[in-house]
Amino acid sequence: MRSTHSRRATATGALIAAAALLAVGVQTGSASAAPDNGTARTATASKANPGALAKQLSPSQRAELIREATASRAATAKKLGLGSQEKLVVRDVVQDNDGTTHTRYERTFDGLPVLGGDLVVQETKAGATESVVKASRATTAQLKAVDTVADITPAAASKQALGAAKAAGSDRAEADKAPRKVVWMASGTPQLAYETVVGGFQEDGTPNALHVITDASTGAKLYEWQAIENGVGNTEYSGQVTLGTSGSSGAYTLTDTARGSHKTYNLNHGTSGKGTLFSGSDDVWGNGSASNAETAAADAHYGAAETWDYYKNVHGRTGIKGDGVGAYSRVHYGNNYVNAFWDDSCFCMTYGDGSGNANPLTALDVAAHEMSHGVTSNTAGLNYSGESGGLNEATSDIFATAVEFYSNTSADPGDYLIGEKIDINGDGTPLRYQDKPSKDGASKDSWYSGLGNLDVHYSSGPANHFFYLLSEGSGAKTINGVSYNSPTSDGLPVTGIGRAKAEQIWFKALTTKFTSTTNYAGARTGTLAVAGELYGTSSAEYKAVQDAWAGINVGARSGGGTDPGSGTVFENSTVVAIPDRGSAVTSSVTVTGRTGNAPSALKVGVDITHTYRGDLVIDLVAPDGSTYRLKNSSSSDSADNVQTTYTVNASSETANGTWKLKVQDVYSGDTGKINSFKLTF
């Protein structure tokens, strides 16, 4: 057991929980802009650059950094080229050991919130801007010509939102509050809109907080997202544990003063309010059976404590917001409620008792999953919809696994299974599998173009798979007695770098590179940027990140090797900056050891990150100078990035020699880079 600063007691037992694991992602947007990573900081291979690691900030140190950033926000806005009607609002600050700061901002325009306007500014210790990651892919820095006078009334927006909520299963007859005017920027071109929040309950009894964005000119729905995300004691799942409590002989409560005064309450099957704080005379909580109301409380309280300790001791983050303030937990929500959720509005985790009120959803990984939704909400704020929603869910699964391994309790040892203790399926199987997500019958193993149309719990599959591959690698293996066999989308192996490094890379990307609209391509860009900062761009860790993403069909491999399905791969993964409306740049690969001509179906793998791909003209240049057009510029091609494989009939060209990928940005206003270029013979 770990010693603590607060009054503790011990008992024995085993915890039971079951959860569908809903989640909160109350931000906006659906697209991702790729970051300009600036100058990479070098690091020794296999050992993280200590300067690039996050500094463990006390709540007062973090508050001071936020104060300093707030004081200089006008100057920052000017430096970023924002307009006179725009203002920045500081949301979070992370600082590395070398003094590099990552400041996360929200934006306002003429006093209105700009949804999808969030950004992260990375500055050196000397104050020089290294990179800016923006949630919006809009091509101009300033918000211009946004009409702030609405053509429809708030009542019309409210009616439209209520209709959307009813279609989603809400029982609400009116909005919780009057619609507010906002500038909607997450879909690209800024426009005036209304945001309406509809409360009540969803069909399964989960609280409802549906945010609906309505066009203030036409009354059409633009977007919607759901803002509800789905102790010592005798626990049902973690055995005998130590809990942080308060009080003295004869009068104890489940209040953990060592962890931000986190408290655990009994809703006693209610669905509103805090409930009643658990108290007792003997400082022993539960008996290991679900029939004892304190047992679920012990599990939830323990899960919150272990998750708090994980984020603080591993990542230097003290509390969900980094401010040292604890959330609270509510157990025994509703009747027969088979779910658990995080809610920003109460800053709390809530757990149902499962089918027949017999299986509380309070297992360790469920608690860590829900609490991690709070961390995501207060850092990247990944929208709980589309690909960003899948990444939001996967982030909670990733850190649920991390907490389980960190806790290392004998009754619930670490594994890459989600919800394996709660038996939500009724047959002893887990809720989700990270090594091969499709084993649950609905999640996807790899990325594809329609992934964002799935429920976020299923579109999370590829990111979960990425984390497993990066941690453990592909193929068959047994870990803590559990057998895994992880495939890859391209049939090539991936060598893992260890779970600790994978966790470190994902957390730093979440807190310094991801925004509300980050998609899978943006997550690849962000994690590669972090791997470069921590380990260097030529390190085994950097290449492993590339290969793990390629293993789920996002981007190219790190280069070299034989593709059993296609032939020999020649690749250049040296990053080449693409000047904004500038001269063409090239990335070259030298093909050797081939005989005769190139194939009639030469595969050209291209990995380019760019904030507006319609600006780009891309050519393949053969060794004799012959040019093959791969992509023309187009004003209608408004997405980010070019991460695909083209097929070229190059049968008239000699295979051996230097081949080039030539890229030119022919319009102004956007930036990007060639990450890699490969030919498969």
Side-chain angles (χ1 to χ4, degrees):
M1 295 177 214
R2 291 190 182 89
S3 61
T4 63
H5 300 294
S6 62
R7 177 78 183 210
R8 305 286 177 134
T10 61
T12 60
L15 256 161
I16 290 179
L21 310 187
L22 297 182
V24 158
V26 194
Q27 303 305 316
T28 60
S30 59
S32 171
D36 172 7
N37 298 318
T39 302
R41 289 172 280 181
T42 59
T44 303
S46 299
K47 184 176 182 181
N49 174 9
L53 294 172
K55 181 186 297 183
Q56 183 161 344
L57 299 171
S58 68
S60 61
Q61 288 173 321
R62 176 179 174 274
E64 176 60 20
L65 288 174
I66 290 176
R67 188 198 65 77
E68 292 172 358
T70 300
S72 61
R73 60 183 175 169
T76 301
K78 184 177 181 179
K79 185 164 57 174
L80 294 175
L82 303 187
S84 60
Q85 291 176 282
E86 297 181 76
K87 288 184 170 54
L88 293 173
V89 179
V90 181
R91 182 178 174 189
D92 194 17
V93 179
V94 175
Q95 188 173 70
D96 297 341
N97 288 325
D98 65 4
T100 299
T101 58
H102 311 266
T103 307
R104 189 177 294 276
Y105 297 96
E106 302 287 355
R107 258 198 280 187
T108 64
F109 176 81
D110 197 23
L112 300 178
V114 180
L115 304 186
D118 52 303
L119 50 91
V120 182
V121 178
Q122 178 175 312
E123 293 183 324
T124 66
K125 184 177 182 179
T129 300
E130 284 190 310
S131 70
V132 180
V133 186
K134 298 179 181 179
S136 172
R137 63 171 179 259
T139 58
T140 57
Q142 297 184 11
L143 294 179
K144 296 179 180 178
V146 178
D147 184 0
T148 57
V149 178
D151 293 325
I152 67 167
T153 65
S158 181
K159 182 179 180 180
Q160 193 274 338
L162 285 165
K166 184 177 181 180
S170 173
D171 65 349
R172 202 66 157 188
E174 60 183 22
D176 274 14
K177 59 182 72 171
R180 66 168 182 168
K181 280 203 295 188
V182 299
V183 175
W184 176 250
M185 193 175 178
S187 298
T189 304
Q191 62 189 111
L192 187 67
Y194 284 105
E195 179 190 29
T196 309
V197 181
V198 182
F201 295 92
Q202 300 174 51
E203 288 179 324
D204 68 349
T206 302
N208 192 58
L210 187 71
H211 291 238
V212 181
I213 305 299
T214 305
D215 189 322
S217 296
T218 67
K221 186 182 76 172
L222 298 174
Y223 196 79
E224 69 177 54
W225 73 93
Q226 179 59 252
I228 301 296
E229 298 181 13
N230 309 353
V232 243
N234 296 315
T235 71
E236 192 170 346
Y237 300 107
S238 296
Q240 182 179 17
V241 298
T242 298
L243 300 181
T245 63
S246 297
S248 57
S249 181
Y252 299 98
T253 66
L254 283 181
T255 303
D256 194 340
T257 56
R259 298 177 178 86
S261 292
H262 170 271
K263 295 177 172 62
T264 299
Y265 294 87
N266 184 3
L267 279 172
N268 194 27
H269 305 298
T271 57
S272 63
K274 280 187 175 180
T276 304
L277 180 64
F278 277 92
S279 61
S281 60
D282 58 3
D283 209 10
V284 175
W285 310 90
N287 64 3
S289 170
S291 61
N292 185 307
E294 289 185 352
T295 299
D299 274 309
H301 204 69
Y302 178 70
E306 292 298 282
T307 306
W308 175 286
D309 288 354
Y310 168 78
Y311 280 111
K312 181 177 182 180
N313 297 334
V314 176
H315 300 296
R317 189 173 185 87
T318 306
I320 287 173
K321 290 185 176 180
D323 60 359
V325 177
Y328 64 87
S329 297
R330 305 183 302 176
V331 298
H332 305 308
Y333 174 90
N335 272 298
N336 304 310
Y337 180 64
V338 189
N339 221 323
F341 59 89
W342 163 267
D343 187 351
D344 263 342
S345 66
C346 65
F347 201 65
C348 69
M349 293 81 71
T350 303
Y351 306 91
D353 284 333
S355 180
N357 291 326
N359 298 300
L361 281 79
T362 48
L364 178 60
D365 57 355
V366 176
H369 176 105
E370 302 308 340
M371 195 162 164
S372 293
H373 276 308
V375 174
T376 296
S377 180
N378 286 280
T379 54
L382 289 160
N383 295 332
Y384 206 57
S385 180
E387 289 190 21
S388 59
L391 293 170
N392 187 320
E393 267 299 303
T395 295
S396 279
D397 284 350
I398 286 167
F399 291 120
T401 290
V403 169
E404 209 174 61
F405 275 101
Y406 170 84
S407 182
N408 195 31
T409 58
S410 58
D412 190 8
D415 53 51
Y416 292 94
L417 310 173
I418 305 301
E420 74 280 359
K421 289 282 188 178
I422 59 179
D423 195 22
I424 196 168
N425 298 318
D427 58 4
T429 59
L431 180 61
R432 287 191 283 278
Y433 304 78
Q434 292 183 300
D435 65 317
K436 189 177 181 182
S438 61
K439 288 172 69 175
D440 68 13
S443 295
K444 302 302 179 183
D445 292 334
S446 301
W447 181 89
Y448 65 98
S449 60
L451 184 71
N453 297 325
L454 297 180
D455 180 280
V456 295
H457 298 88
Y458 305 140
S459 62
S460 66
N464 272 321
H465 193 190
F466 162 80
F467 175 74
Y468 178 87
L469 289 171
L470 185 61
S471 298
E472 305 291 349
S474 58
K477 53 181 60 71
T478 300
I479 303 166
N480 279 353
V482 179
S483 296
Y484 304 97
N485 193 357
S486 192
T488 59
S489 63
D490 57 6
L492 298 174
V494 171
T495 301
I497 59 175
R499 189 182 57 260
K501 289 180 180 179
E503 293 170 19
Q504 180 188 67
I505 288 170
W506 193 267
F507 182 80
K508 186 173 174 67
L510 177 75
T511 54
T512 68
K513 308 298 181 189
F514 294 177
T515 68
S516 63
T517 63
T518 296
N519 60 12
Y520 270 80
R524 179 184 186 274
T525 299
T527 51
L528 279 172
V530 167
E533 292 171 2
L534 292 172
Y535 299 102
T537 55
S538 62
S539 66
E541 289 79 8
Y542 188 90
K543 293 176 181 177
V545 172
Q546 288 179 299
D547 291 345
W549 280 118
I552 64 159
N553 196 33
V554 180
R557 286 265 172 175
S558 59
T562 299
D563 180 341
S566 303
T568 303
V569 178
F570 299 87
E571 181 171 15
N572 184 349
S573 57
T574 300
V575 174
V576 179
I578 304 170
D580 186 25
R581 198 178 183 182
S583 301
V585 294
T586 61
S587 175
S588 303
V589 296
T590 299
V591 176
T592 60
R594 309 299 295 176
T595 58
N597 288 358
S600 59
L602 176 64
K603 293 182 179 179
V604 185
V606 177
D607 182 356
I608 295 173
T609 49
H610 196 271
T611 52
Y612 193 86
R613 57 177 283 159
D615 290 358
L616 301 179
V617 176
I618 306 174
D619 293 305
L620 175 68
V621 182
D624 67 355
S626 300
T627 300
Y628 297 82
R629 178 58 49 90
L630 302 178
K631 179 188 177 301
N632 287 309
S633 63
S634 172
S635 61
S636 63
D637 190 7
S638 60
D640 305 329
N641 311 327
V642 182
Q643 293 167 320
T644 190
T645 299
Y646 297 97
T647 300
V648 172
N649 183 354
S651 58
S652 63
E653 306 291 343
T654 301
N656 289 337
T658 300
W659 296 72
K660 297 179 180 179
L661 183 75
K662 184 171 75 171
V663 182
Q664 185 173 14
D665 184 338
V666 296
Y667 296 105
S668 60
D670 288 272
T671 58
K673 59 192 175 183
I674 304 172
N675 295 306
S676 67
F677 156 50
K678 73 176 179 179
L679 297 175
T680 304
F681 285 81

